[in-house]
Amino acid sequence: MIRYHESTKTFHLSNGKISYLMKILPNGVVGQLYFGRAIHDQEGFDHLFERKHRPMTTWVFEGDKFFSLEHSKQEYPAYGTTDYRQPAVEVRQPNGSRITDLTYRSHSIAPGKPRLEGLPATYCEDDREAETLTLHLRDDLLGLSVDLAYTLFAEHAAIARSVRLVNEGALDLHLTHAMSLSLDLPDSDYEFIHFSGAWSRERHMKVRKLEQGVQSVGSARGNSSHNHNPFIMLRRPGTDETHGEAIGFSLVYSGNFLAQAEVDNWDVTRVLLGINPFGFDWKLAPGEAFQTPEAVMVYSCEGMGAMSRTFHTLYRSRLARGEWRDKPRPILLNNWEATYFDFTEDKLVAIAEGAKKDGVELFVLDDGWFGARSNDRAGLGDWYANTDRLARGITGLADRIDALGMKFGLWFEPEMANRDSDLYRAHPDWIVCTPDRRVSHGRNQYVLDYSRPEVVDHIYGQMAKILSEAKVSYIKWDMNRSISEAFSGALPADRQGELFHRYILGVYDLYDRLTTDFPHVLFESCASGGGRFDPGLLYYAPQGWASDNSDAVSRLKIQYGTSFCYPISSIGAHVSAVPNHQVNRITPIGTRANVAHFGTFGYELDLNKLTEEERVLVREQIAFMKEYREVIQFGDFYRLQSPFDGNITAWMVVSPDKRTALAGWYRVLNEVNGPFRRVRLQGLDPDLCYRVDGDGGHFGDELMHVGLITTDSAAGECQPDERRSCDFDSHIFVLKARP
Ligand code: DGJ
């Protein structure tokens, strides 16, 4: 798949779906020639390396007014040797210089994909699944060696990239920019799409035209954040779900990031993705190495839908890991919105009993079970049961849940401490704070300094004890504040710029140890909902709580936005009580389930408090999910109508054999005397005849090209009363191929 043409010094990475072309430029810098749909191979593509004399630029070679890095597309650009754009790499040197000059020395091509030490990354199960090209670059003056790694997957229109920098010189170097990916595209006729928001309105799709200048999203909060996601997309104007070019850029990382597109004054677009250079300063002493996180780029010429499905398949099967990766996920009930902090053991068991009757498989005890935790001012850091509430500890409660025939899950927030905790009283120096300054709180809590191995060890010890003693088969790992007053008491002055990254490495280390030592435990990540919903955590936790907003209408946008990069099997989605606790909205229980079904399904309420009619619906919902979760969580997902465009949302999943499909249809506000409506389905076999909700049958081509009639689809089925249609209506069409 990866070819090198010596005579023209050209690399061609191609798997029949995509091509990626690079060339070693006259001064040894690696240039970028093309990324897009697969093209024929040739000995050379030198004609794609355009050179032109332009006034006011600077030139690399004496007597040559045609070769300038300012006008060359590059792979890992640096500032200051004729390029003036934002760089991928910058190194501060002992004499104050920041100039680097990295040129090609050699390369290697190997089957498979090497692991990234200490970092989450996509992987292969068999070396035939991918090939990796490593370009060895060097700056001899600094003794800095840089390896650019490119893995091309045989079956996916995807390339994974990362960079390793090694100080082979004699002097200390400081990395101030070490991006994971830089890509120079030849024009700027793109829309820049990002998924931004805030707590309870995560990953809302934002679209803007690329313009000359810099446009970016990122995080400086310590977590990837609710505010922006480490995923951006460039698409050609007119690209939609099924047609046109789209390129997705995703960073496999959970901390401070930058995702940026800079359009220069000749309309070349430079995409940069990696650790946010803001505040980043990594000391690379002689002999030390730095590994960047991985970035994944996916190309599609068949619209955004195909791009998303490439990410879904790759991330679901070759980023997520462990026993739960390919298993349908248990239907759970989480007590948070049912009780908040107000529970006793008997109350929890009563909720679990009710849930068991209706078919729930896993009972999850959320916040409030440990230390002195009866409100959010105490207890974080003390991961042992509060025996006032749970007389026989977690073991006792877990045994009672087990006796009901259910699995038991437990909430932790391992990265935090309250001042009112034994942990803080014993180790006040373990929190992130700046000497002699006041320290800010978030939700009355402080961030433990996970850059310190002894902190990670201590929390591991507490968590491992519980997991070894009690029957716990699921952990919800929460994280409820961003870092402020960033400083580590354990790092010297010239390494303080390493704290944010070292913190995340500590988080990954704890995740790695727990998932290795307790492989049967299903982890769900959470950060006040979706504050760290990123590919980095997907490597350890195959599912994540997508948002604290559990309202079905709000969830349409959140889950739709999330689906651009993340597989349905990763999206935690639950039915909660009405009026909804976040937005006060009253939606039918059927619609709440119809939205939550497209995720890892569960409940966030006390089912015993529902009416008997509602309980009947709940039992049907659970039976439905058990029947179809395999298709939903592991099938192919198609977006049909966007909640960002109007009143109606539609999406669907199709089984790999295309014989079963489910199409979710949602209408926010009811209409009076509205138009006739259809939705065109996708992904079906045109030649198969599908019964829709058990009707006589329609061929796949009719359903995809003519559409499915939805005019009155939802009438009256979403709630127990007899109303014919209502606000917040919905319906899931079940399509089954006739034998
Ligand atoms: C924030 C989470 O997102 C909620 O689901 C819940 O676990 C609370 N924290 C508990 O404090």
Side-chain angles (χ1 to χ4, degrees):
M1 294 192 289
I2 300 179
R3 268 164 286 190
Y4 177 58
H5 299 294
E6 176 72 48
S7 66
T8 56
K9 297 187 165 45
T10 304
F11 296 93
H12 189 175
L13 289 63
S14 183
N15 58 5
K17 301 173 198 293
I18 52 173
S19 281
Y20 194 87
L21 285 171
M22 293 178 274
K23 175 185 168 51
I24 301 165
L25 302 182
N27 64 339
V29 161
V30 184
Q32 155 62 219
L33 297 182
Y34 173 71
F35 176 43
R37 197 170 178 161
I39 57 170
H40 282 100
D41 191 36
Q42 279 188 54
E43 189 57 29
F45 292 88
D46 284 2
H47 50 286
L48 297 179
F49 172 49
E50 294 168 280
R51 279 187 276 193
K52 191 168 165 51
H53 175 74
R54 297 186 190 278
M56 271 313 285
T57 197
T58 48
W59 311 102
V60 174
F61 299 115
E62 296 257 340
D64 175 324
K65 288 189 190 163
F66 287 88
F67 178 51
S68 167
L69 293 175
E70 180 173 17
H71 300 295
S72 301
K73 298 165 203 61
Q74 299 159 64
E75 283 301 306
Y76 206 57
Y79 166 86
T81 54
T82 72
D83 193 352
Y84 298 96
R85 291 165 288 182
Q86 300 277 314
V89 58
E90 189 177 62
V91 182
R92 200 177 72 245
Q93 299 144 44
N95 67 0
S97 167
R98 290 167 185 264
I99 303 300
T100 58
D101 194 2
L102 290 163
T103 52
Y104 169 88
R105 296 307 150 96
S106 64
H107 70 269
S108 58
I109 298 171
K113 181 174 191 294
R115 289 170 64 103
L116 298 193
E117 212 187 308
L119 282 167
T122 54
Y123 57 89
C124 296
E125 289 198 332
D126 180 318
D127 275 355
R128 283 169 299 190
E129 291 175 5
E131 228 167 68
T132 299
L133 164 70
T134 307
L135 298 176
H136 308 292
L137 316 182
R138 201 162 196 283
D139 181 328
D140 284 338
L141 183 66
L142 304 184
L144 178 67
S145 137
V146 174
D147 282 356
L148 309 182
Y150 300 79
T151 298
L152 176 64
F153 296 90
E155 298 299 326
H156 305 293
I159 295 177
R161 294 176 56 174
S162 66
V163 180
R164 189 164 185 272
L165 303 99
V166 185
N167 183 350
E168 296 170 349
L171 300 172
D172 287 345
L173 301 174
H174 282 260
L175 304 177
T176 56
H177 287 61
M179 304 305 281
S180 302
L181 170 155
S182 179
L183 179 65
D184 287 349
L185 294 163
D187 67 80
S188 64
D189 192 20
Y190 290 102
E191 288 164 336
F192 176 90
I193 298 174
H194 56 101
F195 296 86
S196 299
W199 175 81
S200 270
R201 59 175 166 84
E202 296 91 339
R203 293 174 297 287
H204 280 38
M205 185 176 185
K206 309 284 175 192
V207 183
R208 67 173 100 145
K209 178 88 188 74
L210 268 191
E211 294 292 352
Q212 289 186 357
V214 170
Q215 36 255 284
S216 69
V217 293
S219 169
R221 312 176 70 94
N223 52 318
S224 50
S225 89
H226 301 86
N227 309 54
H228 299 290
N229 196 263
F231 169 68
I232 58 168
M233 188 167 52
L234 296 185
R235 73 173 181 202
R236 295 292 189 190
T239 292
D240 59 17
E241 285 294 331
T242 52
H243 300 94
E245 281 190 303
I247 312 176
F249 300 90
S250 165
L251 186 66
V252 186
Y253 193 57
S254 310
N256 289 352
F257 74 94
L258 176 71
Q260 177 172 297
E262 176 177 5
V263 180
D264 74 12
N265 301 74
W266 297 269
D267 290 332
V268 169
T269 301
R270 170 169 294 172
V271 177
L272 289 175
L273 184 62
I275 291 178
N276 197 341
F278 177 77
F280 174 75
D281 188 326
W282 190 278
K283 179 176 170 183
L284 207 59
E288 286 183 351
F290 181 80
Q291 173 64 58
T292 73
E294 174 167 295
V296 177
M297 26 184 219
V298 168
Y299 171 83
S300 163
C301 55
E302 291 169 335
M304 297 180 290
M307 179 214 65
S308 293
R309 285 186 292 282
T310 299
F311 274 114
H312 293 174
T313 315
L314 184 63
Y315 281 4
R316 191 176 57 215
S317 62
R318 292 295 181 269
L319 176 61
R321 297 173 304 161
E323 284 183 15
W324 283 98
R325 185 188 75 182
D326 303 328
K327 283 192 193 155
R329 305 298 159 69
I331 295 169
L332 67 83
L333 184 140
N334 177 304
N335 76 306
W336 178 242
E337 288 195 17
T339 66
Y340 296 104
F341 291 113
D342 181 18
F343 61 80
T344 61
E345 183 171 317
D346 286 344
K347 192 168 169 182
L348 296 174
V349 172
I351 294 172
E353 269 168 356
K356 170 69 186 168
K357 270 190 204 134
D358 293 348
V360 172
E361 299 159 315
L362 165 69
F363 174 77
V364 180
L365 171 55
D366 209 278
D367 195 353
W369 57 267
F370 48 90
R373 187 84 163 170
S374 54
N375 55 51
D376 67 15
R377 288 186 297 281
L380 290 174
D382 297 342
W383 301 108
Y384 35 84
N386 178 333
T387 43
D388 292 343
R389 290 176 162 205
L390 306 172
R392 287 198 305 117
I394 288 300
T395 313
L397 175 62
D399 286 347
R400 287 179 73 182
I401 302 297
D402 182 64
L404 295 175
M406 295 178 95
K407 300 281 182 207
F408 177 69
L410 199 56
W411 180 96
F412 286 89
E413 192 177 359
E415 299 155 65
M416 301 290 156
N418 289 112
R419 281 201 204 271
D420 184 359
S421 67
D422 292 343
L423 177 118
Y424 181 81
R425 282 183 283 273
H427 303 285
D429 55 319
W430 278 7
I431 65 167
V432 174
C433 62
T434 302
D436 306 322
R437 291 201 181 277
R438 86 174 168 77
V439 50
S440 310
H441 75 96
R443 205 194 185 201
N444 303 306
Q445 66 196 46
Y446 301 86
V447 184
L448 288 171
D449 182 355
Y450 263 48
S451 74
R452 301 172 73 148
E454 68 272 28
V455 175
V456 177
D457 285 348
H458 181 85
I459 300 295
Y460 171 81
Q462 295 194 54
M463 294 178 78
K465 184 167 188 304
I466 290 189
L467 291 176
S468 314
E469 289 171 0
K471 291 179 182 133
V472 178
S473 45
Y474 162 105
I475 284 184
K476 177 177 173 186
W477 177 323
D478 204 349
M479 198 288 294
N480 285 304
R481 64 158 288 185
S482 300
I483 293 175
S484 60
E485 290 86 29
F487 186 94
S488 171
L491 291 173
D494 61 353
R495 288 196 180 270
Q496 287 300 328
E498 302 176 14
L499 171 62
F500 280 109
H501 183 56
R502 286 189 183 274
Y503 178 92
I504 287 296
L505 293 179
V507 170
Y508 291 152
D509 179 37
L510 183 57
Y511 255 118
D512 205 52
R513 289 161 70 178
L514 290 168
T515 49
T516 305
D517 295 349
F518 303 96
H520 67 285
V521 175
L522 170 62
F523 280 76
E524 175 150 353
S525 69
C526 174
S528 283
R532 217 163 48 181
F533 200 102
D534 56 58
L537 289 193
L538 200 51
Y539 185 68
Y540 308 97
Q543 58 192 64
W545 182 226
S547 175
D548 271 353
N549 189 338
S550 58
D551 166 61
V553 174
S554 311
R555 276 291 185 132
L556 290 173
K557 286 185 176 158
I558 294 167
Q559 292 177 207
Y560 192 95
T562 304
S563 79
F564 278 87
C565 182
Y566 304 99
I568 300 305
S569 58
S570 72
I571 302 177
H574 301 167
V575 174
S576 61
V578 290
N580 174 268
H581 293 194
Q582 293 78 40
V583 299
N584 263 321
R585 189 177 283 129
I586 297 179
T587 53
I589 193 163
T591 290
R592 280 174 270 157
N594 286 347
V595 177
H597 278 316
F598 286 85
T600 57
F601 186 71
Y603 291 83
E604 195 86 12
L605 78 174
D606 182 353
L607 295 172
N608 298 318
K609 293 193 172 153
L610 299 182
T611 65
E612 212 21 66
E613 285 163 306
E614 287 172 323
R615 292 294 283 275
V616 170
L617 291 177
V618 166
R619 274 170 218 146
E620 285 170 14
Q621 292 164 2
I622 291 173
F624 176 88
M625 194 63 195
K626 285 179 181 167
E627 186 171 352
Y628 293 110
R629 62 184 151 184
E630 195 124 14
V631 179
I632 294 172
Q633 292 166 356
F634 302 100
D636 294 319
F637 182 75
Y638 296 83
R639 289 177 296 267
L640 306 175
Q641 266 181 271
S642 170
F644 298 104
D645 291 342
N647 194 35
I648 291 174
T649 302
W651 54 46
M652 68 185 290
V653 289
V654 182
S655 64
D657 68 0
K658 295 195 182 288
R659 298 195 64 82
T660 307
L662 303 174
W665 179 92
Y666 312 88
R667 181 176 58 201
V668 177
L669 293 181
N670 200 3
E671 308 178 290
V672 176
N673 199 17
F676 296 106
R677 291 197 186 277
R678 295 173 185 182
V679 58
R680 286 185 180 186
L681 303 187
Q682 294 176 37
L684 300 174
D685 182 335
D687 301 322
L688 281 179
C689 186
Y690 295 88
R691 290 189 196 281
V692 181
D693 291 344
D695 73 4
H698 312 263
F699 277 99
D701 56 2
E702 178 196 321
L703 294 165
M704 293 192 289
H705 307 319
V706 182
L708 175 69
I709 305 285
T710 57
T711 310
D712 284 320
S713 58
E717 72 158 50
C718 291
Q719 46 191 9
D721 68 29
E722 292 300 308
R723 266 200 295 158
R724 293 291 300 157
S725 69
C726 58
D727 288 346
F728 321 128
D729 238 349
S730 67
H731 181 73
I732 296 182
F733 296 90
V734 177
L735 285 78
K736 287 193 173 160
R738 279 173 32 172

